[in-house]
Amino acid sequence: MDAQTRELFESSLLSLAKERAREGRLTNPRATGSAKNPFCGDEITVDLDVIDGLLSSLGYEAKACSLCVASAELLSQWAEQGGSVGQLAELAETVKSVLQGEAAPDGFEALASVAPFRARHKCVTLPFDAALKAVKDGET
């Protein structure tokens, strides 16, 4: 394993993935979305509760790699801080930019370590894809 790969897998992303502190489905979500990465088999379902355009809670269930789970944990943390539905779409675009080498917003700096691994970018964006699908399908 080269030093760059070792750094990725020894990063804070792995700590988040191991903890899975926020994993779990919501009892009565207002909206639910699922996404799958056909290349690696990662699957995630994201539940959202939205009140007046603000995310009040986010739950998820993942059958996925550590990078996908860590990204879902970061998204869950962000939602707990009262992100809005509109900001969710902006954040998803920002995360894609981080994976292209742009500066990461506060709380998402660890995602920058995935930028050199283009084949793993979809793993990181999958929770955002599921959350955005939930917003679209739930018309929240």
Side-chain angles (χ1 to χ4, degrees):
M1 182 181 304
D2 66 26
Q4 192 176 35
T5 304
R6 188 180 311 70
E7 180 181 322
L8 172 66
F9 287 100
E10 292 174 355
S11 71
S12 60
L13 290 176
L14 279 188
S15 296
L16 284 167
K18 285 179 187 177
E19 289 175 23
R20 290 182 176 239
R22 291 167 177 81
E23 185 175 28
R25 301 287 305 271
L26 299 181
T27 305
N28 292 307
R30 181 117 181 244
T32 298
S34 295
K36 183 175 182 176
N37 184 344
F39 298 108
C40 68
D42 284 357
E43 296 181 30
I44 189 164
T45 299
V46 173
D47 296 326
L48 301 175
D49 279 334
V50 180
I51 299 172
D52 296 328
L54 296 177
L55 297 171
S56 59
S57 57
L58 183 150
Y60 74 92
E61 180 178 64
K63 296 175 186 166
C65 71
S66 296
L67 294 176
C68 183
V69 172
S71 183
E73 287 287 320
L74 290 172
L75 178 58
S76 297
Q77 287 175 5
W78 175 84
E80 287 175 2
Q81 297 171 3
S84 72
V85 171
Q87 290 170 326
L88 175 61
E90 292 172 18
L91 181 61
E93 287 304 312
T94 299
V95 166
K96 288 178 184 176
S97 295
V98 169
L99 295 172
Q100 298 302 317
E102 298 294 322
D106 289 343
F108 290 84
E109 297 88 354
L111 296 180
S113 66
V114 185
F117 303 94
R118 190 166 180 194
R120 304 305 298 269
H121 289 188
K122 185 68 174 170
C123 301
V124 171
T125 61
L126 206 61
F128 294 90
D129 295 345
L132 290 170
K133 186 174 186 324
V135 167
K136 181 180 176 194
D137 292 351
E139 297 180 26
T140 56

